[in-house]
Amino acid sequence: MLKNYLKIAFRNLWKHKVFSFINIMGLTVGMSACFLIFLYVNFELSYDAFNSKADRIYRLVTDIKTPSETINTGVTSWAFAPSMKNDLPEVDAFTRVSGGSFLVRKGDVKFQEEKTVFADSSLFRVFDFKLIKGNPATALKDQLSLVFTEKAAKKYFGDADPIGQTLLLSGEGFPAIVTGIMKDIPENSQIKGDMFVSMSTLTQKFNKGLDEQWGNFGATTYLLLKPGTTGKALEKKLPEFLKNRAGKLMNELNMHYTLFLEPLRDVHLLSTRGSDEAGSMNNVYIFSVVAVFILLIACINFVNLTTARSVERAKEVGIRKVVGAPKWLIARQFISESILLCLIAFVFAIVLSAVLLPLFNNLSGKIISDGMLDNLPFVLGLLVASIVIGILAGIYPALVLSSFEPVVVLKGRFTTSFKGALLRKGLVAVQFAISIALIIATIVVYTQMDFMRNRDLGFSKDQMLIINSEGDPKKEAFKESLASLSGVKSTATSSSVPGSGNPGAYSEIENKSGDMQIANLDLYFVDFDYIPQFKLKMAAGRPFSREFGTDTTQAMVINEAAVKLFGYSSPEQAIGRRFKQWGREGKIVGVIKDFHFRALQEVIKPLTMRIEPRNTDLVSVKIDGGNIQGTIAAIESKWKSILPDRPFSYYFMDEFFDRQYRSEERFEKLFFNFAILAIFISCLGLLGLASYSTMQRTKEIGVRKVMGASIGSIVGLLSRDFLKLVLIAFVIASPVAYYGMYKWLQNFAYRTDIHWWIFLVAAFLSVAIAFITVSFQSIKAALMNPVKSLRSE
């Protein structure tokens, strides 16, 4: 019986090659897209799942309440975790991590290790980072202990054993010993680094006493709770812990802390406090819906094309029933054909997915998967899904075909029913409603990204070269040496540039009422050239000037957001007001206009600037665009002559700032590509139905041509019904797409509007795509010789 089913199925597939190709192609593309999206969604949902104790690991986060605002931050004070381990029995272990950058030297080999992580010795107890060599309990215990990943270790030692080897850290050349080699960190990990340095190096050598600083925030803290302890239960004890340990300090500073515990598995997608590996649950939901939509469109194609061909197989069904075949047996035959077609599509989908996987990894910006062999459970899942799709998508056509009355069909008087035609039209409308919604969404995503790329940021970033001196004492000499280069327009030094991040500083600034108002404000340390270098505009007062000797110790410049925070109705009112910040006191001498020193996803926050030459590690160089490579070579030559022990590296300001939008740009590219796939599958189905409709009306077309109908009128006749369906789909899709994209845009502090012309463009594109698809068959039919048309049976 099975052999007979397969034989009939293959005969029908071969007999109707065009329809079989369209069905298989649609299902193949739909399954491939769904499979790749599923890999992406699974990857995003699996962050930190490799940790065996993930259900007991929590990130400790803080709310800092000042008289001016409440700051929701993902970091903690350096003193919190060690004290919690001593005071709270629920805490099994803790580890703090903090990013850094080190100059590392081994003989003539030197690298600036940008992906350096300071970590407590308990790192390997809390997280499942596997050490290939070294003792996980002691590898990060002593000062100046280093642990490298496999990949990073090869840079310095090749195939030699690194354990016990000495490297020199920073410009001072501190001798550090390699105590461990760990497996390369999984891609889906919150903590990533190439070199791990013992936390005691930071807290006891570089910044002695840091462990006792309750008001110094900068550590990302993870707690491992004892079995049976929940985060919610421990959270209830944290207010009393803070009161006992830091109550006096909080009252003195008038800053009050509230601690919360975030489950490790929630940090990547659900936390609103940010992280180096922050993702978006909204994007996961969106791509999941898109995957379902694409697969739904492919299934609709199958149902439509199969039921549309029901007339051709009516006589076959009639004969089978006459010779005694029961209805269930006929239905099983057609369901078997449906499953076979889906299995063929499954094989092609696996091949296509394997080919597209490297491109998909590149588009997503992550190594979602190294190959299909790494995803055998998912491949098996797709196989099961293809069988289920075959059964579900084949049930309706099977029931329709098996219900034919043999007396009617064998007399040749059978035609497709009105209900069947109505169902096919409804399914086509659903297909194109989904496609139109994706077109509208794609245009909105593009306009938002274009808005972000082209918005006036309030500062100059073009042709700006940024070089990190890492605090080298010769940085000022290097900066001054660049003035003699013809390709250099200007230079400046600072602690931060827009997009690079900046510290928060405990500040007291005189408000409108004359009181000293406490706030935690972003702080830039700059030199006298910084404000003109970046073309920041003054709203009131003056910029820093060498003509005023007190500017190096007693002057501050703030932005307009800070003016509003302290209650002033105009920037001029803030000039001359007092400030206290990190041991400095003085007056506000200028107010700069707001500029976007953070990404456009965030509102512009209050910012302060002070002259502080010792903390200005970044050298920004404005260069001429005429001979960029020649200018960079000249700058590098100066660097090597003045700072020969440090590797020369740089980045361009515009590229660096735009990195903040990489996740949105990747979302844009992925969304665009999947929208194209959905439209392609819809067009395949429309092409198949148009082909079938044209074939059914062959004689009608011949008669019309004999009666003098023009090619244009015939094309219009054959296209009209389909275009009506597309317009109905547009009416359905527009409000749904508007609502969905309105919600998506709420994630951006600065966003574009959903303009009326977006819907006009979407309507035009959808009609044009449908018309071109249908016209391919319509024109072919209109050009057919009417003699052949009228002679056809």
Side-chain angles (χ1 to χ4, degrees):
M1 184 65 72
L2 180 61
K3 182 179 179 182
N4 185 52
Y5 283 165
L6 291 174
K7 185 184 294 185
I8 295 172
F10 277 113
R11 281 176 181 174
N12 276 294
L13 289 176
W14 186 252
K15 182 179 178 182
H16 305 282
K17 299 182 186 67
V18 174
F19 289 99
S20 299
F21 173 79
I22 290 174
N23 251 340
I24 292 173
M25 178 63 72
L27 284 172
T28 296
V29 174
M31 287 182 182
S32 296
C34 193
F35 181 74
L36 291 174
I37 293 175
F38 178 75
L39 288 183
Y40 171 83
V41 169
N42 180 73
F43 178 84
E44 289 293 294
L45 293 175
S46 68
Y47 254 77
D48 296 303
F50 64 89
N51 293 290
S52 60
K53 300 183 283 288
D55 61 326
R56 293 197 284 132
I57 302 174
Y58 292 81
R59 183 174 75 159
L60 186 66
V61 297
T62 319
D63 281 357
I64 306 173
K65 186 176 182 179
T66 72
S68 303
E69 59 182 339
T70 298
I71 303 166
N72 310 117
T73 179
V75 297
T76 67
S77 161
W78 296 92
F80 283 176
S83 300
M84 292 177 76
K85 178 68 172 68
N86 293 329
D87 295 3
L88 300 171
E90 294 87 349
V91 179
D92 190 7
F94 73 88
T95 188
R96 298 165 297 174
V97 294
S98 178
S101 176
F102 264 118
L103 172 65
V104 183
R105 289 177 288 167
K106 179 181 181 291
D108 294 332
V109 179
K110 54 187 176 183
F111 291 98
Q112 188 70 40
E113 288 293 348
E114 300 290 350
K115 294 182 179 179
T116 298
V117 178
F118 289 102
D120 284 301
S121 58
S122 52
L123 176 74
F124 301 105
R125 182 181 174 190
V126 177
F127 294 98
D128 289 359
F129 298 136
K130 305 297 182 184
L131 279 186
I132 301 170
K133 296 181 179 180
N135 185 342
T138 60
L140 290 173
K141 184 177 181 181
D142 298 329
Q143 293 183 33
L144 295 172
S145 296
L146 305 179
V147 172
F148 281 102
T149 61
E150 284 183 280
K151 183 179 178 181
K154 287 185 179 298
K155 293 192 301 185
Y156 301 97
F157 305 102
D159 295 327
D161 185 2
I163 300 298
Q165 297 288 328
T166 299
L167 297 172
L168 301 180
L169 295 186
S170 79
E172 288 82 358
F174 297 110
I177 298 175
V178 179
T179 54
I181 301 298
M182 62 192 291
K183 282 188 176 181
D184 290 334
I185 297 175
E187 186 77 17
N188 54 349
S189 170
Q190 286 294 323
I191 300 174
K192 284 189 179 145
D194 292 331
M195 181 178 77
F196 288 75
V197 182
S198 57
M199 183 62 73
S200 58
T201 305
L202 178 64
T203 60
Q204 298 174 27
K205 185 173 185 63
F206 295 154
N207 198 338
K208 196 169 184 178
L210 193 62
D211 280 341
E212 286 77 43
Q213 295 183 15
W214 287 82
N216 188 343
F217 286 74
T220 301
T221 302
Y222 295 94
L223 302 180
L224 175 65
L225 306 189
K226 290 181 178 178
T229 303
T230 65
K232 291 295 182 185
L234 181 58
E235 266 187 0
K236 295 177 181 178
K237 290 189 172 184
L238 297 183
E240 186 67 22
F241 163 78
L242 284 173
K243 181 180 178 182
N244 294 336
R245 283 286 192 166
K248 182 179 178 181
L249 176 69
M250 290 190 290
N251 290 330
E252 289 175 356
L253 297 178
N254 200 8
M255 297 177 71
H256 297 277
Y257 312 143
T258 305
L259 295 177
F260 301 95
L261 294 174
E262 292 183 337
L264 177 66
R265 295 293 306 279
D266 291 350
V267 174
H268 176 62
L269 290 175
L270 298 178
S271 177
T272 59
R273 298 168 187 267
S275 70
D276 292 337
E277 291 292 313
S280 169
M281 182 57 81
N282 283 336
N283 289 356
V284 169
Y285 288 144
I286 288 171
F287 282 126
S288 299
V289 170
V290 169
V292 172
F293 279 171
I294 289 176
L295 202 56
L296 179 62
I297 290 172
C299 292
I300 287 173
N301 275 358
F302 178 84
V303 173
N304 264 348
L305 293 175
T306 307
T307 53
R309 286 178 47 223
S310 59
V311 176
E312 297 179 26
R313 304 193 67 177
K315 288 186 178 180
E316 174 193 339
V317 173
I319 293 172
R320 283 174 175 271
K321 284 196 168 185
V322 167
V323 297
K327 182 177 179 179
W328 66 267
L329 191 63
I330 296 172
R332 192 167 72 177
Q333 164 69 40
F334 292 116
I335 291 175
S336 300
E337 289 184 17
S338 172
I339 294 173
L340 175 63
L341 191 145
C342 286
L343 289 176
I344 294 172
F346 161 78
V347 174
F348 287 139
I350 293 300
V351 174
L352 182 61
S353 297
V355 172
L356 293 177
L357 192 54
L359 176 62
F360 185 71
N361 285 335
N362 186 52
L363 281 174
S364 63
K366 301 176 181 180
I367 306 300
I368 302 298
S369 175
D370 290 320
M372 301 304 289
L373 293 178
D374 295 336
N375 301 288
L376 290 180
F378 300 147
V379 173
L380 184 61
L382 184 63
L383 173 61
V384 173
S386 65
I387 295 173
V388 173
I389 291 169
I391 295 172
L392 295 178
I395 285 176
Y396 176 75
L399 292 177
V400 171
L401 291 167
S402 62
S403 299
F404 290 166
E405 291 297 332
V407 176
V408 176
V409 297
L410 290 177
K411 286 183 178 181
R413 289 183 291 190
F414 174 79
T415 58
T416 53
S417 67
F418 171 76
K419 289 182 179 179
L422 187 62
L423 174 66
R424 288 193 295 275
K425 289 180 179 179
L427 292 176
V428 168
V430 171
Q431 271 189 320
F432 264 86
I434 294 171
S435 298
I436 291 167
L438 291 176
I439 290 173
I440 293 170
T442 301
I443 297 173
V444 172
V445 170
Y446 174 80
T447 54
Q448 173 63 19
M449 292 306 302
D450 186 64
F451 171 82
M452 293 168 67
R453 283 187 287 258
N454 296 304
R455 181 178 170 83
D456 181 10
L457 300 173
F459 66 93
S460 173
K461 61 184 176 68
D462 296 330
Q463 308 300 336
M464 192 79 73
L465 205 67
I466 309 298
I467 306 165
N468 194 340
S469 71
E470 301 292 344
D472 195 289
K474 298 177 183 178
K475 64 186 176 186
E476 194 62 35
F478 168 71
K479 175 199 168 187
E480 292 175 359
S481 72
L482 300 181
S484 61
L485 301 179
S486 60
V488 174
K489 292 183 175 181
S490 61
T491 59
T493 58
S494 61
S495 61
S496 305
V497 294
S500 66
N502 41 274
Y506 177 83
S507 312
E508 295 180 60
I509 293 182
E510 183 181 358
N511 61 24
K512 186 178 181 180
S513 303
D515 300 321
M516 297 300 288
Q517 182 174 326
I518 296 171
N520 192 72
L521 304 177
D522 286 346
L523 171 61
Y524 273 22
F525 291 124
V526 300
D527 65 4
F528 292 103
D529 303 311
Y530 186 85
I531 291 177
Q533 167 93 344
F534 284 88
K535 297 184 179 179
L536 302 179
K537 299 178 177 64
M538 302 302 299
R542 62 174 178 83
F544 298 113
S545 173
R546 291 181 176 86
E547 296 178 3
F548 296 87
T550 56
D551 274 9
T552 57
T553 55
Q554 301 174 24
M556 175 181 282
V557 170
I558 63 175
N559 67 350
E560 292 173 305
V563 169
K564 295 175 185 175
L565 178 65
F566 295 103
Y568 299 113
S569 57
S570 68
E572 288 78 12
Q573 292 179 353
I575 303 302
R577 299 289 182 158
R578 294 170 296 154
F579 78 84
K580 293 181 182 179
Q581 187 183 68
W582 279 2
R584 291 287 178 90
E585 296 185 29
K587 293 184 177 180
I588 296 170
V589 300
V591 176
I592 54 174
K593 288 185 176 293
D594 282 340
F595 68 98
H596 292 279
F597 58 93
R598 295 187 180 183
L600 290 175
Q601 291 94 327
E602 303 179 54
V603 296
I604 297 176
K605 295 187 175 183
L607 175 68
T608 60
M609 290 185 179
R610 286 185 11 223
I611 299 289
E612 193 76 46
R614 290 177 300 176
N615 293 315
T616 54
D617 294 345
L618 300 180
V619 181
S620 52
V621 186
K622 182 76 171 180
I623 64 175
D624 191 288
N627 182 17
I628 295 177
Q629 293 304 318
T631 302
I632 293 175
I635 294 172
E636 182 177 6
S637 178
K638 291 287 186 182
W639 176 275
K640 288 181 176 178
S641 65
I642 299 174
L643 295 89
D645 293 331
R646 290 187 177 276
F648 177 73
S649 63
Y650 66 91
Y651 57 85
F652 281 100
M653 179 70 210
D654 53 351
E655 295 175 357
F656 179 79
F657 192 82
D658 290 344
R659 286 178 197 169
Q660 298 174 98
Y661 311 123
R662 278 185 177 176
S663 60
E664 284 77 17
E665 288 176 346
R666 288 166 184 157
F667 174 80
E668 176 191 21
K669 290 178 181 177
L670 286 172
F671 197 90
F672 174 78
N673 282 281
F674 287 125
I676 292 295
L677 285 179
I679 295 167
F680 171 73
I681 298 171
S682 296
C683 289
L684 277 179
L686 196 60
L687 179 64
L689 285 178
S691 300
Y692 180 77
S693 176
T694 303
M695 184 177 63
Q696 291 291 96
R697 302 175 73 174
T698 300
K699 286 189 177 181
E700 176 191 344
I701 294 168
V703 171
R704 287 181 179 275
K705 288 198 72 175
V706 169
M707 299 299 293
S710 65
I711 293 175
S713 64
I714 293 175
V715 171
L717 175 70
L718 296 174
S719 305
R720 191 178 301 127
D721 289 343
F722 292 108
L723 296 181
K724 286 180 182 177
L725 295 177
V726 173
L727 291 175
I728 292 171
F730 174 77
V731 173
I732 296 170
S734 295
V736 175
Y738 177 87
Y739 176 78
M741 297 318 295
Y742 175 81
K743 288 291 186 182
W744 181 75
L745 286 172
Q746 301 311 302
N747 296 317
F748 299 90
Y750 301 92
R751 50 187 174 266
T752 185
D753 296 321
I754 304 178
H755 303 284
W756 62 268
W757 60 262
I758 292 175
F759 298 91
L760 186 64
V761 170
F764 173 78
L765 286 175
S766 57
V767 170
I769 290 168
F771 182 75
I772 292 170
T773 303
V774 174
S775 294
F776 178 78
Q777 285 297 324
S778 301
I779 294 173
K780 182 180 177 181
L783 293 173
M784 186 181 297
N785 189 330
V787 175
K788 293 182 179 180
S789 301
L790 294 174
R791 199 169 55 194
S792 67
E793 290 295 334

